[in-house]
């Protein structure tokens, strides 16, 4: 496919100079890195708790809910027991599968960044703790799938939903040996830990849901405060 003229993009100055890091493979987190799904997740949580007649949710998600597996959030941040956690996850997905998926906003410049990286020959992937079928629908809805080689998400029960495991399974499925020429990009400590534990270069984005102080403790290799800075690192 012929590379389109970068002057059609919203930030044409992205493409003036070649990058210096020479990443061949780039793995992106989804929520908080490529798109902001706060509206859909909050609405799905409210639906789940309302169905269970659990009071006290004011519509504002607890810090740290977005990023880890749903089971972790309902159990540790809402204090639900094992049985009610599983029930909450089922209700959450009931709403999310129809409505919450699309109550979602890609960060400005993300689609253009993915397109540019794709045309530059980078191999692009998504690794997310979101249920894989939902992540795939979001990727397709926003056109990310045109540039993504493979998407790997959580299984239905959440048994293999840690970011470390998901990244590992993704690398194994592509028969890729870990390398510092491969980057893991994400907004939470789970992304940074997953990247480091799999031997990848880690790039933390500060515009997502993770707390900067917690991210700093993971000592990421690079920081990006917006999508443009991220592109400058990856190109």
């Amino acid at each position: 496919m012929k590379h389109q003229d970068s002057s059609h993009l919203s930030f044409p100055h992205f493409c003036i100079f070649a990058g210096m890091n020479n990443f061949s493979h780039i793995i992106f987190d989804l929520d908080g890195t490529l798109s902001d799904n706060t509206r859909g997740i909050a609405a799905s949580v409210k639906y789940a708790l309302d169905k269970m007649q659990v009071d006290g949710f004011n519509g504002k998600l607890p810090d740290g809910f977005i990023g880890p597996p749903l089971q972790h959030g309902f159990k540790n941040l809402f204090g639900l027991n094992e049985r009610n956690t599983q029930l909450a996850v089922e209700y959450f997905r009931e709403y999310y599968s129809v409505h919450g998926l699309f109550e979602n906003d890609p960060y400005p410049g993300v689609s253009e960044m993915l397109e540019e990286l794709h045309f530059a020959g980078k191999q692009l992937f998504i690794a997310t703790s979101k249920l894989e079928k939902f992540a795939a629908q979001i990727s397709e809805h926003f056109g990310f799938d045109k540039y993504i080689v493979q998407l790997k998400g959580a299984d239905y029960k959440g048994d293999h939903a840690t970011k470390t495991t998901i990244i590992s399974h993704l690398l194994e499925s592509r028969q890729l040996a870990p390398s510092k020429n491969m980057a893991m990009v994400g907004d939470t400590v789970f992304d940074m830990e997953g990247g480091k534990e799999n031997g990848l270069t880690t790039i933390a984005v500060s515009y997502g849901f993770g707390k900067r102080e917690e991210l700093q403790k993971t000592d990421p290799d690079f920081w990006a405060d917006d999508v443009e800075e991220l592109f400058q690192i990856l190109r």
Side-chain angles (χ1 to χ4, degrees), residues 154-212:
D155 63 13
Y156 192 79
K157 294 182 179 180
D159 293 334
H160 305 287
T162 69
K163 192 54 66 78
T164 297
T165 301
I166 289 169
I167 294 170
S168 176
H169 287 172
L170 175 59
L171 295 175
E172 289 173 6
S173 70
R174 307 301 301 184
Q175 298 183 322
L176 295 171
S179 164
K180 286 299 183 179
N181 287 333
M182 301 179 185
M184 176 63 209
V185 182
D187 67 308
T188 70
V189 295
F190 302 100
D191 300 312
M192 299 302 98
E193 291 170 352
K196 287 182 179 292
E197 289 171 12
N198 281 285
L200 310 181
T201 294
T202 53
I203 304 172
V205 300
S206 65
Y207 56 78
F209 304 118
K211 292 184 177 179
R212 191 178 187 93

Short mmCIF file of all heavy atoms in Angstrom, two decimals, residues 154-212:
data_model
loop_
_atom_site.label_atom_id
_atom_site.label_comp_id
_atom_site.label_asym_id
_atom_site.label_seq_id
_atom_site.Cartn_x
_atom_site.Cartn_y
_atom_site.Cartn_z
N ALA A 154 -7.72 -10.72 27.58
CA ALA A 154 -7.99 -11.67 28.65
C ALA A 154 -8.98 -12.73 28.20
O ALA A 154 -9.79 -12.50 27.32
CB ALA A 154 -8.54 -10.93 29.86
N ASP A 155 -8.90 -13.90 28.85
CA ASP A 155 -9.89 -14.92 28.59
C ASP A 155 -11.15 -14.61 29.40
O ASP A 155 -11.18 -13.68 30.21
CB ASP A 155 -9.35 -16.32 28.88
CG ASP A 155 -8.98 -16.52 30.34
OD1 ASP A 155 -9.36 -15.68 31.19
OD2 ASP A 155 -8.30 -17.51 30.64
N TYR A 156 -12.19 -15.38 29.19
CA TYR A 156 -13.50 -15.04 29.76
C TYR A 156 -13.50 -15.07 31.29
O TYR A 156 -14.13 -14.24 31.94
CB TYR A 156 -14.57 -16.01 29.23
CG TYR A 156 -15.98 -15.56 29.52
CD1 TYR A 156 -16.58 -14.58 28.74
CD2 TYR A 156 -16.69 -16.09 30.59
CE1 TYR A 156 -17.87 -14.14 29.01
CE2 TYR A 156 -17.99 -15.66 30.87
CZ TYR A 156 -18.56 -14.68 30.07
OH TYR A 156 -19.85 -14.24 30.34
N LYS A 157 -12.77 -16.04 31.88
CA LYS A 157 -12.78 -16.18 33.34
C LYS A 157 -11.77 -15.27 34.03
O LYS A 157 -11.80 -15.14 35.24
CB LYS A 157 -12.50 -17.63 33.72
CG LYS A 157 -13.58 -18.61 33.29
CD LYS A 157 -13.25 -20.02 33.74
CE LYS A 157 -14.34 -21.00 33.33
NZ LYS A 157 -14.01 -22.39 33.77
N GLY A 158 -10.88 -14.68 33.25
CA GLY A 158 -9.87 -13.83 33.85
C GLY A 158 -8.74 -14.60 34.49
O GLY A 158 -7.94 -14.05 35.26
N ASP A 159 -8.64 -15.90 34.17
CA ASP A 159 -7.59 -16.73 34.78
C ASP A 159 -6.20 -16.37 34.26
O ASP A 159 -5.20 -16.59 34.94
CB ASP A 159 -7.86 -18.21 34.50
CG ASP A 159 -9.12 -18.71 35.21
OD1 ASP A 159 -9.47 -18.11 36.25
OD2 ASP A 159 -9.73 -19.68 34.74
N HIS A 160 -6.13 -15.87 33.04
CA HIS A 160 -4.84 -15.55 32.43
C HIS A 160 -4.85 -14.09 31.99
O HIS A 160 -4.51 -13.77 30.86
CB HIS A 160 -4.57 -16.47 31.24
CG HIS A 160 -4.64 -17.93 31.58
ND1 HIS A 160 -3.66 -18.58 32.33
CD2 HIS A 160 -5.58 -18.87 31.32
CE1 HIS A 160 -4.00 -19.85 32.49
NE2 HIS A 160 -5.16 -20.05 31.89
N ALA A 161 -5.25 -13.21 32.92
CA ALA A 161 -5.48 -11.82 32.54
C ALA A 161 -4.40 -10.86 33.01
O ALA A 161 -4.52 -9.66 32.80
CB ALA A 161 -6.83 -11.36 33.08
N THR A 162 -3.35 -11.35 33.67
CA THR A 162 -2.30 -10.42 34.06
C THR A 162 -1.57 -9.95 32.81
O THR A 162 -1.44 -10.69 31.83
CB THR A 162 -1.29 -11.06 35.02
OG1 THR A 162 -0.53 -12.06 34.32
CG2 THR A 162 -1.98 -11.68 36.22
N LYS A 163 -1.07 -8.72 32.85
CA LYS A 163 -0.41 -8.18 31.66
C LYS A 163 0.86 -8.96 31.33
O LYS A 163 1.17 -9.18 30.15
CB LYS A 163 -0.09 -6.69 31.89
CG LYS A 163 0.33 -5.94 30.63
CD LYS A 163 -0.67 -6.06 29.49
CE LYS A 163 -2.01 -5.42 29.75
NZ LYS A 163 -2.05 -3.99 29.61
N THR A 164 1.56 -9.44 32.35
CA THR A 164 2.76 -10.24 32.12
C THR A 164 2.43 -11.49 31.31
O THR A 164 3.12 -11.82 30.34
CB THR A 164 3.41 -10.65 33.46
OG1 THR A 164 3.84 -9.46 34.15
CG2 THR A 164 4.61 -11.55 33.23
N THR A 165 1.35 -12.17 31.71
CA THR A 165 0.95 -13.40 31.02
C THR A 165 0.46 -13.12 29.61
O THR A 165 0.78 -13.85 28.67
CB THR A 165 -0.16 -14.11 31.83
OG1 THR A 165 0.33 -14.41 33.14
CG2 THR A 165 -0.58 -15.40 31.14
N ILE A 166 -0.32 -12.07 29.46
CA ILE A 166 -0.86 -11.73 28.14
C ILE A 166 0.27 -11.40 27.16
O ILE A 166 0.27 -11.86 26.02
CB ILE A 166 -1.87 -10.57 28.26
CG1 ILE A 166 -3.14 -11.05 28.96
CG2 ILE A 166 -2.21 -10.00 26.88
CD1 ILE A 166 -4.09 -9.95 29.35
N ILE A 167 1.24 -10.61 27.61
CA ILE A 167 2.38 -10.28 26.75
C ILE A 167 3.16 -11.53 26.41
O ILE A 167 3.56 -11.75 25.26
CB ILE A 167 3.29 -9.24 27.43
CG1 ILE A 167 2.56 -7.91 27.60
CG2 ILE A 167 4.57 -9.03 26.62
CD1 ILE A 167 3.31 -6.91 28.47
N SER A 168 3.37 -12.37 27.41
CA SER A 168 4.12 -13.62 27.19
C SER A 168 3.42 -14.50 26.16
O SER A 168 4.06 -15.03 25.24
CB SER A 168 4.26 -14.38 28.51
OG SER A 168 4.88 -15.63 28.32
N HIS A 169 2.10 -14.64 26.28
CA HIS A 169 1.34 -15.45 25.32
C HIS A 169 1.40 -14.84 23.92
O HIS A 169 1.47 -15.58 22.92
CB HIS A 169 -0.11 -15.58 25.77
CG HIS A 169 -0.29 -16.49 26.94
ND1 HIS A 169 -1.49 -16.63 27.60
CD2 HIS A 169 0.58 -17.31 27.59
CE1 HIS A 169 -1.36 -17.50 28.59
NE2 HIS A 169 -0.10 -17.92 28.60
N LEU A 170 1.38 -13.52 23.85
CA LEU A 170 1.46 -12.86 22.56
C LEU A 170 2.81 -13.15 21.90
O LEU A 170 2.87 -13.51 20.71
CB LEU A 170 1.28 -11.35 22.73
CG LEU A 170 1.45 -10.48 21.48
CD1 LEU A 170 0.46 -10.87 20.39
CD2 LEU A 170 1.28 -9.00 21.83
N LEU A 171 3.88 -13.02 22.64
CA LEU A 171 5.22 -13.28 22.10
C LEU A 171 5.35 -14.73 21.65
O LEU A 171 5.89 -15.02 20.58
CB LEU A 171 6.29 -12.95 23.14
CG LEU A 171 6.41 -11.49 23.56
CD1 LEU A 171 7.44 -11.33 24.68
CD2 LEU A 171 6.78 -10.60 22.38
N GLU A 172 4.82 -15.64 22.48
CA GLU A 172 4.89 -17.07 22.14
C GLU A 172 4.10 -17.37 20.88
O GLU A 172 4.55 -18.15 20.02
CB GLU A 172 4.35 -17.91 23.30
CG GLU A 172 5.26 -17.92 24.52
CD GLU A 172 4.60 -18.62 25.71
OE1 GLU A 172 3.49 -19.18 25.54
OE2 GLU A 172 5.19 -18.60 26.80
N SER A 173 2.92 -16.77 20.74
CA SER A 173 2.08 -17.05 19.59
C SER A 173 2.71 -16.57 18.29
O SER A 173 2.45 -17.13 17.22
CB SER A 173 0.70 -16.41 19.76
OG SER A 173 0.77 -15.00 19.67
N ARG A 174 3.55 -15.52 18.37
CA ARG A 174 4.24 -15.00 17.19
C ARG A 174 5.65 -15.55 17.06
O ARG A 174 6.38 -15.19 16.14
CB ARG A 174 4.31 -13.47 17.24
CG ARG A 174 3.01 -12.75 17.45
CD ARG A 174 1.99 -13.05 16.38
NE ARG A 174 2.45 -12.68 15.05
CZ ARG A 174 1.70 -12.76 13.95
NH1 ARG A 174 0.46 -13.23 14.04
NH2 ARG A 174 2.17 -12.40 12.78
N GLN A 175 6.04 -16.43 17.99
CA GLN A 175 7.39 -17.01 18.03
C GLN A 175 8.45 -15.90 18.03
O GLN A 175 9.43 -15.95 17.28
CB GLN A 175 7.60 -17.97 16.85
CG GLN A 175 6.66 -19.17 16.88
CD GLN A 175 6.92 -20.16 15.76
OE1 GLN A 175 7.23 -19.77 14.63
NE2 GLN A 175 6.82 -21.44 16.06
N LEU A 176 8.24 -14.93 18.91
CA LEU A 176 9.15 -13.80 19.03
C LEU A 176 10.00 -13.93 20.28
O LEU A 176 9.48 -14.19 21.37
CB LEU A 176 8.36 -12.49 19.10
CG LEU A 176 7.56 -12.11 17.86
CD1 LEU A 176 6.66 -10.91 18.15
CD2 LEU A 176 8.50 -11.79 16.70
N ALA A 177 11.30 -13.77 20.12
CA ALA A 177 12.20 -13.77 21.27
C ALA A 177 12.26 -12.35 21.84
O ALA A 177 12.37 -11.38 21.09
CB ALA A 177 13.60 -14.22 20.83
N PRO A 178 12.15 -12.21 23.16
CA PRO A 178 12.21 -10.88 23.78
C PRO A 178 13.46 -10.11 23.36
O PRO A 178 14.53 -10.69 23.21
CB PRO A 178 12.22 -11.18 25.27
CG PRO A 178 11.55 -12.51 25.39
CD PRO A 178 11.97 -13.27 24.17
N SER A 179 13.28 -8.81 23.17
CA SER A 179 14.38 -7.97 22.72
C SER A 179 14.11 -6.54 23.12
O SER A 179 12.96 -6.12 23.25
CB SER A 179 14.51 -8.06 21.19
OG SER A 179 15.29 -7.02 20.68
N LYS A 180 15.18 -5.77 23.34
CA LYS A 180 15.02 -4.35 23.66
C LYS A 180 14.59 -3.56 22.42
O LYS A 180 14.26 -2.37 22.53
CB LYS A 180 16.33 -3.78 24.23
CG LYS A 180 16.59 -4.23 25.65
CD LYS A 180 15.47 -3.76 26.59
CE LYS A 180 15.75 -4.14 28.04
NZ LYS A 180 14.68 -3.67 28.95
N ASN A 181 14.59 -4.19 21.25
CA ASN A 181 14.03 -3.56 20.06
C ASN A 181 12.51 -3.69 20.01
O ASN A 181 11.88 -3.24 19.06
CB ASN A 181 14.64 -4.16 18.79
CG ASN A 181 16.07 -3.74 18.57
OD1 ASN A 181 16.47 -2.66 19.01
ND2 ASN A 181 16.85 -4.57 17.92
N MET A 182 11.96 -4.34 21.03
CA MET A 182 10.51 -4.45 21.17
C MET A 182 10.09 -3.58 22.35
O MET A 182 10.75 -3.58 23.39
CB MET A 182 10.09 -5.90 21.44
CG MET A 182 10.49 -6.86 20.35
SD MET A 182 9.97 -8.54 20.78
CE MET A 182 10.69 -9.45 19.40
N ALA A 183 9.00 -2.85 22.18
CA ALA A 183 8.56 -1.92 23.22
C ALA A 183 7.16 -2.27 23.71
O ALA A 183 6.30 -2.66 22.93
CB ALA A 183 8.58 -0.49 22.70
N MET A 184 6.96 -2.12 25.02
CA MET A 184 5.64 -2.20 25.62
C MET A 184 5.23 -0.81 26.03
O MET A 184 5.92 -0.14 26.80
CB MET A 184 5.66 -3.12 26.85
CG MET A 184 4.32 -3.17 27.58
SD MET A 184 2.98 -3.88 26.55
CE MET A 184 1.53 -3.05 27.22
N VAL A 185 4.09 -0.33 25.52
CA VAL A 185 3.61 1.01 25.78
C VAL A 185 2.34 0.93 26.61
O VAL A 185 1.38 0.25 26.23
CB VAL A 185 3.28 1.76 24.47
CG1 VAL A 185 2.84 3.18 24.75
CG2 VAL A 185 4.49 1.74 23.53
N GLY A 186 2.32 1.61 27.76
CA GLY A 186 1.12 1.56 28.58
C GLY A 186 1.08 2.65 29.62
O GLY A 186 2.04 3.40 29.80
N ASP A 187 -0.05 2.71 30.33
CA ASP A 187 -0.28 3.80 31.28
C ASP A 187 -0.32 3.35 32.73
O ASP A 187 -0.53 4.17 33.63
CB ASP A 187 -1.60 4.51 30.94
CG ASP A 187 -2.81 3.59 31.17
OD1 ASP A 187 -2.79 2.46 30.64
OD2 ASP A 187 -3.75 4.01 31.86
N THR A 188 -0.13 2.05 33.00
CA THR A 188 -0.20 1.56 34.37
C THR A 188 1.04 0.78 34.76
O THR A 188 1.82 0.35 33.89
CB THR A 188 -1.42 0.64 34.58
OG1 THR A 188 -1.22 -0.60 33.87
CG2 THR A 188 -2.70 1.31 34.09
N VAL A 189 1.19 0.56 36.06
CA VAL A 189 2.33 -0.23 36.55
C VAL A 189 2.26 -1.66 36.00
O VAL A 189 3.29 -2.30 35.81
CB VAL A 189 2.37 -0.25 38.09
CG1 VAL A 189 2.62 1.14 38.64
CG2 VAL A 189 1.09 -0.83 38.69
N PHE A 190 1.06 -2.14 35.74
CA PHE A 190 0.90 -3.50 35.21
C PHE A 190 1.53 -3.62 33.82
O PHE A 190 2.15 -4.63 33.48
CB PHE A 190 -0.58 -3.89 35.16
CG PHE A 190 -1.25 -3.80 36.50
CD1 PHE A 190 -2.04 -2.69 36.83
CD2 PHE A 190 -1.11 -4.80 37.43
CE1 PHE A 190 -2.65 -2.60 38.06
CE2 PHE A 190 -1.73 -4.73 38.68
CZ PHE A 190 -2.50 -3.61 38.99
N ASP A 191 1.39 -2.56 33.02
CA ASP A 191 2.01 -2.54 31.70
C ASP A 191 3.52 -2.53 31.80
O ASP A 191 4.22 -3.24 31.08
CB ASP A 191 1.54 -1.32 30.90
CG ASP A 191 0.05 -1.29 30.69
OD1 ASP A 191 -0.51 -2.32 30.28
OD2 ASP A 191 -0.57 -0.24 30.93
N MET A 192 4.04 -1.69 32.71
CA MET A 192 5.49 -1.57 32.87
C MET A 192 6.08 -2.86 33.43
O MET A 192 7.11 -3.34 32.96
CB MET A 192 5.82 -0.38 33.78
CG MET A 192 5.35 0.98 33.27
SD MET A 192 6.03 1.41 31.63
CE MET A 192 4.65 0.96 30.55
N GLU A 193 5.43 -3.43 34.43
CA GLU A 193 5.91 -4.68 35.01
C GLU A 193 5.85 -5.81 33.98
O GLU A 193 6.77 -6.63 33.88
CB GLU A 193 5.09 -5.04 36.24
CG GLU A 193 5.34 -4.10 37.42
CD GLU A 193 4.36 -4.29 38.55
OE1 GLU A 193 3.37 -5.06 38.39
OE2 GLU A 193 4.56 -3.66 39.61
N GLY A 194 4.75 -5.85 33.22
CA GLY A 194 4.62 -6.88 32.19
C GLY A 194 5.68 -6.76 31.12
O GLY A 194 6.23 -7.77 30.66
N GLY A 195 5.99 -5.53 30.72
CA GLY A 195 7.04 -5.33 29.73
C GLY A 195 8.40 -5.74 30.25
O GLY A 195 9.17 -6.45 29.58
N LYS A 196 8.73 -5.31 31.47
CA LYS A 196 10.04 -5.62 32.05
C LYS A 196 10.21 -7.12 32.28
O LYS A 196 11.27 -7.69 32.00
CB LYS A 196 10.22 -4.86 33.36
CG LYS A 196 10.47 -3.37 33.17
CD LYS A 196 10.69 -2.66 34.50
CE LYS A 196 10.97 -1.18 34.28
NZ LYS A 196 12.26 -0.94 33.62
N GLU A 197 9.16 -7.76 32.79
CA GLU A 197 9.25 -9.19 33.08
C GLU A 197 9.37 -10.03 31.81
O GLU A 197 9.80 -11.18 31.87
CB GLU A 197 8.05 -9.63 33.92
CG GLU A 197 8.12 -9.08 35.34
CD GLU A 197 6.84 -9.31 36.13
OE1 GLU A 197 5.98 -10.09 35.66
OE2 GLU A 197 6.70 -8.70 37.21
N ASN A 198 9.00 -9.44 30.68
CA ASN A 198 9.15 -10.13 29.40
C ASN A 198 10.37 -9.64 28.61
O ASN A 198 10.53 -9.99 27.45
CB ASN A 198 7.89 -9.98 28.57
CG ASN A 198 6.78 -10.93 29.00
OD1 ASN A 198 6.82 -12.12 28.72
ND2 ASN A 198 5.78 -10.40 29.72
N GLY A 199 11.20 -8.83 29.24
CA GLY A 199 12.46 -8.41 28.60
C GLY A 199 12.31 -7.35 27.53
O GLY A 199 13.15 -7.27 26.63
N LEU A 200 11.25 -6.53 27.60
CA LEU A 200 11.00 -5.52 26.59
C LEU A 200 11.38 -4.12 27.10
O LEU A 200 11.44 -3.88 28.30
CB LEU A 200 9.52 -5.52 26.20
CG LEU A 200 8.88 -6.86 25.85
CD1 LEU A 200 7.42 -6.66 25.47
CD2 LEU A 200 9.63 -7.56 24.73
N THR A 201 11.60 -3.20 26.18
CA THR A 201 11.72 -1.79 26.53
C THR A 201 10.36 -1.29 26.97
O THR A 201 9.34 -1.63 26.37
CB THR A 201 12.21 -0.98 25.32
OG1 THR A 201 13.55 -1.39 25.00
CG2 THR A 201 12.20 0.51 25.61
N THR A 202 10.32 -0.49 28.03
CA THR A 202 9.04 0.00 28.55
C THR A 202 8.89 1.50 28.32
O THR A 202 9.83 2.26 28.53
CB THR A 202 8.91 -0.31 30.05
OG1 THR A 202 10.05 0.20 30.74
CG2 THR A 202 8.79 -1.79 30.29
N ILE A 203 7.69 1.88 27.88
CA ILE A 203 7.38 3.29 27.62
C ILE A 203 6.09 3.62 28.37
O ILE A 203 5.03 3.08 28.07
CB ILE A 203 7.20 3.56 26.12
CG1 ILE A 203 8.47 3.13 25.35
CG2 ILE A 203 6.88 5.03 25.87
CD1 ILE A 203 8.32 3.19 23.85
N ALA A 204 6.20 4.50 29.34
CA ALA A 204 5.04 4.90 30.14
C ALA A 204 4.41 6.16 29.56
O ALA A 204 5.12 7.10 29.21
CB ALA A 204 5.47 5.16 31.58
N VAL A 205 3.09 6.15 29.45
CA VAL A 205 2.38 7.34 29.02
C VAL A 205 1.68 7.93 30.24
O VAL A 205 1.04 7.21 31.02
CB VAL A 205 1.37 7.05 27.89
CG1 VAL A 205 2.11 6.50 26.67
CG2 VAL A 205 0.28 6.09 28.32
N SER A 206 1.80 9.23 30.42
CA SER A 206 1.27 9.87 31.62
C SER A 206 -0.14 10.42 31.43
O SER A 206 -0.73 10.93 32.37
CB SER A 206 2.20 11.01 32.05
OG SER A 206 2.22 12.04 31.07
N TYR A 207 -0.68 10.29 30.21
CA TYR A 207 -2.00 10.87 29.94
C TYR A 207 -3.14 9.90 30.21
O TYR A 207 -4.31 10.23 30.04
CB TYR A 207 -2.08 11.37 28.50
CG TYR A 207 -1.76 10.33 27.44
CD1 TYR A 207 -2.69 9.36 27.08
CD2 TYR A 207 -0.52 10.31 26.81
CE1 TYR A 207 -2.41 8.40 26.11
CE2 TYR A 207 -0.23 9.36 25.84
CZ TYR A 207 -1.16 8.42 25.50
OH TYR A 207 -0.86 7.47 24.55
N GLY A 208 -2.83 8.68 30.64
CA GLY A 208 -3.85 7.67 30.86
C GLY A 208 -4.36 7.63 32.29
O GLY A 208 -4.50 8.66 32.94
N PHE A 209 -4.61 6.42 32.80
CA PHE A 209 -5.25 6.25 34.09
C PHE A 209 -4.27 5.99 35.23
O PHE A 209 -4.64 6.08 36.39
CB PHE A 209 -6.26 5.09 34.03
CG PHE A 209 -7.29 5.26 32.95
CD1 PHE A 209 -7.38 4.35 31.91
CD2 PHE A 209 -8.15 6.35 32.96
CE1 PHE A 209 -8.32 4.50 30.91
CE2 PHE A 209 -9.09 6.51 31.96
CZ PHE A 209 -9.18 5.59 30.93
N GLY A 210 -3.04 5.64 34.91
CA GLY A 210 -2.08 5.33 35.96
C GLY A 210 -1.60 6.58 36.68
O GLY A 210 -1.61 7.69 36.14
N LYS A 211 -1.18 6.41 37.92
CA LYS A 211 -0.63 7.51 38.70
C LYS A 211 0.86 7.65 38.39
O LYS A 211 1.60 6.67 38.41
CB LYS A 211 -0.83 7.26 40.19
CG LYS A 211 -2.27 7.30 40.64
CD LYS A 211 -2.38 7.13 42.14
CE LYS A 211 -3.83 7.23 42.61
NZ LYS A 211 -3.94 7.06 44.08
N ARG A 212 1.28 8.88 38.13
CA ARG A 212 2.66 9.12 37.74
C ARG A 212 3.64 8.64 38.82
O ARG A 212 4.68 8.06 38.50
CB ARG A 212 2.88 10.61 37.46
CG ARG A 212 4.22 10.91 36.81
CD ARG A 212 4.39 12.38 36.50
NE ARG A 212 5.61 12.61 35.73
CZ ARG A 212 5.67 12.65 34.42
NH1 ARG A 212 4.58 12.48 33.71
NH2 ARG A 212 6.82 12.87 33.80
#
